[in-house]
């Protein structure tokens, strides 16, 4: 929902379905960060959920900021809690720029292919930084382009993911940035949960244990 405050239009989310992956990650990071004041934290949350850059609210008057904050709080309070939302079942496919991406959610790491496992292990050994940034890169391995294929006997159509290959390694950073900017959080969450449960952490259930 668009709302005009002062001379600028702000986007107030109507549903968690609108949340991009990048917004979701920044929101989770805020929840695990210590701020000097509650207001400082609230400002950052509003910036994230409105799709603004850091300090993107600085030019608002305090009266205008309070109006935006009130609208955002009312909307968030009307939505289900985020941890309940991400526990839902989501579609296994999503589309960006006309390309269909297929989501894999193996039971364990033993179910991934050898090529996928080697790439995951290589990234793990070289990773430094926040665990969510790492998992975003891992998601670019398990989420790849795919297509709808019809079974010649049953005529049932199912989505098949493309086999993991050198192009996926080459495009990993591109795909990671694409997912952060364009993918909805709901489309990537199943893979996030797979990786985080693999290191014995639930994304929201043990949020306080995630590193800053």
């Amino acid at each position: 929902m668009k709302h005009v405050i002062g001379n600028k239009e702000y986007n107030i989310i109507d549903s968690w379905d609108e949340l991009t992956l990048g917004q979701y990650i920044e929101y989770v990071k805020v929840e695990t960060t210590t701020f000097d004041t509650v207001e400082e934290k609230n400002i950052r949350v509003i910036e994230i959920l409105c799709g603004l850059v850091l300090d993107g609210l600085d030019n608002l008057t305090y009266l205008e900021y309070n109006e935006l904050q009130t609208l955002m709080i009312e909307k968030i309070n009307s939505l289900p809690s985020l941890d309940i939302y991400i526990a839902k079942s989501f579609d296994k496919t999503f589309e960006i720029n006309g390309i269909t991406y297929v989501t894999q959610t193996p039971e364990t790491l033993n179910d991934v292919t050898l090529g996928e496992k080697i790439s995951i292990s290589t990234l793990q050994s070289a990773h430094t930084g926040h665990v969510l940034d790492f998992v975003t890169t891992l998601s670019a391995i398990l989420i790849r382009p795919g297509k709808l294929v019809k079974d010649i006997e049953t005529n049932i159509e199912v989505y098949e993911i493309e086999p993991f290959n050198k192009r996926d390694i080459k495009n990993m950073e591109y795909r990671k940035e694409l997912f952060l900017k364009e993918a909805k959080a709901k489309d990537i969450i199943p893979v996030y949960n797979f990786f985080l449960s693999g290191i014995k952490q639930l994304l929201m259930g043990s949020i306080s244990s995630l590193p800053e």
Side-chain angles (χ1 to χ4, degrees):
M1 176 181 66
K2 300 292 186 179
H3 191 85
V4 177
I5 297 177
N7 59 355
K8 188 171 181 180
E9 191 175 66
Y10 295 89
N11 185 49
I12 309 296
I13 63 170
D14 286 316
S15 164
W16 292 126
D17 286 350
E18 299 174 15
L19 209 61
T20 67
L21 178 62
Q23 287 175 302
Y24 178 74
I25 290 174
E26 290 305 312
Y27 182 82
V28 172
K29 286 180 179 179
V30 164
E31 292 301 310
T32 64
T33 300
T34 301
F35 290 86
D36 293 333
T37 65
V38 173
E39 185 173 58
E40 184 182 352
K41 177 180 178 179
N42 289 343
I43 289 171
R44 185 64 191 123
V45 167
I46 293 171
E47 287 173 341
I48 293 166
L49 296 184
C50 286
L52 303 174
V53 297
L54 184 66
D55 300 327
L57 299 174
D58 283 3
N59 289 325
L60 284 178
T61 67
Y62 197 66
L63 182 64
E64 291 169 341
Y65 165 72
N66 281 333
E67 181 182 351
L68 180 59
Q69 178 179 236
T70 299
L71 288 168
M72 185 64 74
I73 290 173
E74 288 176 352
K75 176 52 66 176
I76 291 176
N77 287 342
S78 73
L79 299 176
S81 65
L82 193 53
D83 56 336
I84 292 176
Y85 171 78
I86 67 169
K88 291 170 47 181
S89 296
F90 296 106
D91 293 337
K92 297 294 185 182
T93 64
F94 60 94
E95 187 173 303
I96 301 176
N97 298 334
I99 297 175
T100 298
Y101 290 88
V102 180
T103 301
Q104 297 184 92
T105 51
E107 291 295 325
T108 71
L109 280 175
N110 291 328
D111 298 320
V112 303
T113 67
L114 179 59
E116 291 168 341
K117 180 64 169 64
I118 290 172
S119 294
I120 291 169
S121 298
T122 301
L123 289 170
Q124 186 175 15
S125 64
H127 171 72
T128 58
H130 198 288
V131 66
L132 290 184
D133 296 325
F134 175 51
V135 175
T136 304
T137 304
L138 296 182
S139 297
I141 296 174
L142 289 191
I143 302 175
R144 302 192 295 275
K147 59 184 178 180
L148 196 60
V149 177
K150 180 183 289 188
D151 186 280
I152 61 173
E153 289 185 301
T154 65
N155 285 328
I156 296 175
E157 293 183 323
V158 295
Y159 278 97
E160 290 188 0
I161 193 169
E162 292 184 0
F164 187 74
N165 56 46
K166 291 182 179 179
R167 188 197 67 183
D168 296 301
I169 298 174
K170 177 183 176 182
N171 290 354
M172 194 175 301
E173 276 302 311
Y174 166 82
R175 192 176 295 162
K176 170 187 172 182
E177 293 303 317
L178 179 70
F179 288 170
L180 284 170
K181 295 176 183 177
E182 302 293 339
K184 301 303 182 184
K186 66 183 180 66
D187 297 322
I188 314 293
I189 290 303
V191 177
Y192 265 53
N193 286 341
F194 164 69
F195 280 117
L196 290 173
S197 64
I199 57 176
K200 302 186 185 304
Q201 291 182 358
L202 294 176
L203 192 54
M204 296 301 291
S206 59
I207 198 81
S208 60
S209 65
L210 295 177
E212 295 182 11

